[in-house]
């Protein structure tokens, strides 16, 4: 059980995984308060008050990149958050803009990126890969067995996804950028492609799944896919598909997939990552 006198943790906003994160944190003895978290009651009248009352805050994974924090029809500039917090407070979110981290440091506030935590990345990748398979089966009019699949990206999600697709009997091609990645892809038994180049062409694929959060597919390339080819976007903004591709036929936009397909499991992973972030403070988690 945590020493409740030393903790004032809040979860603010978030998708469907966040109520489960709150439940997990409370089950572990952390008396979390909430604002704008699904159907949970608000423990503050507004967003500003919630932040002023906090020492540790778990924010939505994409909350800081736009420059605005939104929750419960309330919003504020993210630059104002460290101003409202006390020295020694912790902000945990997705990617932390460098200027915000520096700005927070001037107030003695520490910013922690959940997306840079390796345990979170691995666990989140596993949930994302499993969710992508389920979504693919929903949107395709055929089985994955025997399907021609291109997975763009040889990161954690790409590796796990390729393995799961192969186990289901799909014919898997994986793209990477570096020679070492291409060699590893081939050694694992997949057909290698160069990301962004796709020398073998794109016309034979039944589904193309992107995992890279940088431009990897142009409209001119997408136009050369089969009429019924599914283009699935897993990467967070800005994503790998250009704005023109995102409006094309058969495009499935699925960033934040763990919150959609497995919110309970994803929430438990999120809670553990938050505890890792705030566990580095002077107050003990024991």
């Amino acid at each position: 059980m945590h020493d409740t006198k030393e903790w004032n943790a809040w979860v603010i906003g978030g998708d469907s995984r966040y109520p489960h994160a709150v439940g997990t944190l409370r089950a572990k003895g952390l008396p979390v308060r909430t604002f704008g978290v699904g159907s949970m009651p608000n423990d503050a009248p507004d967003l500003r008050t919630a932040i002023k009352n906090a020492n540790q805050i778990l924010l939505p994974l994409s909350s800081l990149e736009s420059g605005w924090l939104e929750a419960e029809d309330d919003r504020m500039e993210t630059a104002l958050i460290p101003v409202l917090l006390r020295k020694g407070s912790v902000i945990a979110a997705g990617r932390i803009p460098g200027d915000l981290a520096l700005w927070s440091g001037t107030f003695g506030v520490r910013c922690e990126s959940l997306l840079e935590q390796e345990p979170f990345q691995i666990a989140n990748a596993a949930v994302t890969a499993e969710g992508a398979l389920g979504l693919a089966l929903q949107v395709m009019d055929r089985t994955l067995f025997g399907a021609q699949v291109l997975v763009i990206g040889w990161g954690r999600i790409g590796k796990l996804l390729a393995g799961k697709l192969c186990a289901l009997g799909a014919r898997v091609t994986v793209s990477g950028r570096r020679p070492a990645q291409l060699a590893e892809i081939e050694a694992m038994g997949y057909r290698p492609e160069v990301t962004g180049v796709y020398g073998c062409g794109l016309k034979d694929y039944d589904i193309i799944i992107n995992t890279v959060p940088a431009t990897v597919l142009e409209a001119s390339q997408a136009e050369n896919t089969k009429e019924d080819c599914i283009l699935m976007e897993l990467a967070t903004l800005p994503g790998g598909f250009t704005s023109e591709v995102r409006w094309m036929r058969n495009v499935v936009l699925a960033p934040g997939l763990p919150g959609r397909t497995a919110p309970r499991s994803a929430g438990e992973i999120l809670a553990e990552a938050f505890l890792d972030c705030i566990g580095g403070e002077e107050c003990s988690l024991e």
Side-chain angles (χ1 to χ4, degrees):
M1 179 70 68
H2 306 301
D3 184 346
T4 58
K5 293 184 294 184
E6 297 187 36
W7 292 86
N8 199 350
W10 284 70
V11 176
I12 295 177
D15 57 23
S16 58
R17 75 189 95 176
Y18 276 68
H20 296 283
V22 171
T24 300
L25 291 168
R26 287 174 176 169
K28 290 179 175 292
L30 189 64
V32 180
R33 298 177 184 177
T34 61
F35 183 82
V37 181
S39 59
M40 290 187 157
N42 291 328
D43 294 317
D46 52 53
L47 182 56
R48 185 185 183 101
T49 302
I51 292 174
K52 286 183 68 175
N53 287 338
N55 289 339
Q56 307 87 17
I57 309 176
L58 174 59
L59 298 177
L61 292 178
S62 61
S63 59
L64 301 181
E65 297 174 76
S66 67
W68 289 90
L69 173 61
E70 299 185 16
E72 202 70 12
D73 297 324
D74 200 353
R75 69 197 304 254
M76 66 186 306
E77 291 184 83
T78 55
L80 185 58
I81 297 175
V83 179
L84 297 174
L85 294 172
R86 284 162 281 184
K87 184 177 180 180
S89 296
V90 178
I91 300 171
R95 292 182 178 86
I96 308 293
D99 55 350
L100 180 62
L102 290 173
W103 174 242
S104 298
T106 64
F107 292 90
V109 173
R110 176 160 56 91
C111 291
E112 292 284 349
S113 171
L114 300 175
L115 297 178
E116 292 179 4
Q117 286 190 13
E118 190 167 9
F120 177 80
Q121 291 176 343
I122 294 171
N124 196 60
V127 178
T128 301
E130 185 174 322
L133 291 182
L135 184 58
L137 290 169
Q138 290 179 31
V139 298
M140 295 175 69
D141 60 1
R142 56 155 301 151
T143 63
L144 285 170
F145 180 83
Q148 293 279 3
V149 182
L150 170 62
V151 176
I152 302 177
W154 189 239
R156 289 183 177 85
I157 296 174
K159 291 178 180 180
L160 289 169
L161 183 55
K164 292 178 183 295
L165 287 163
C166 186
L168 290 174
R171 300 173 183 176
V172 182
T173 299
V174 184
S175 77
R177 295 189 185 276
R178 301 190 299 274
Q181 291 179 324
L182 298 175
E184 186 178 4
I185 290 168
E186 188 170 20
M188 294 295 292
Y190 313 122
R191 185 174 71 166
E193 271 282 23
V194 178
T195 299
V197 178
Y198 315 116
C200 295
L202 300 174
K203 62 182 179 62
D204 294 329
Y205 294 113
D206 297 299
I207 184 168
I208 297 172
I209 307 175
N210 176 55
T211 69
V212 180
T215 301
V216 295
L217 191 70
E218 304 282 351
S220 58
Q221 295 171 315
E223 288 169 354
N224 290 323
T225 60
K226 294 193 302 183
E227 184 175 347
D228 60 350
C229 176
I230 301 296
L231 304 177
M232 184 182 296
E233 175 69 276
L234 299 184
T236 55
L237 291 175
F241 298 163
T242 63
S243 57
E244 293 82 4
V245 173
R246 293 169 71 89
W247 287 100
M248 292 178 68
R249 56 178 166 75
N250 298 334
V251 173
V252 178
L253 302 179
L257 194 57
R260 294 167 51 178
T261 60
R264 184 175 69 178
S265 297
E268 292 169 353
I269 293 168
L270 191 61
E272 292 294 341
F274 182 52
L275 288 174
D276 286 343
C277 285
I278 64 179
E281 295 191 82
E282 293 179 359
C283 45
S284 174
L285 282 170
E286 298 300 329

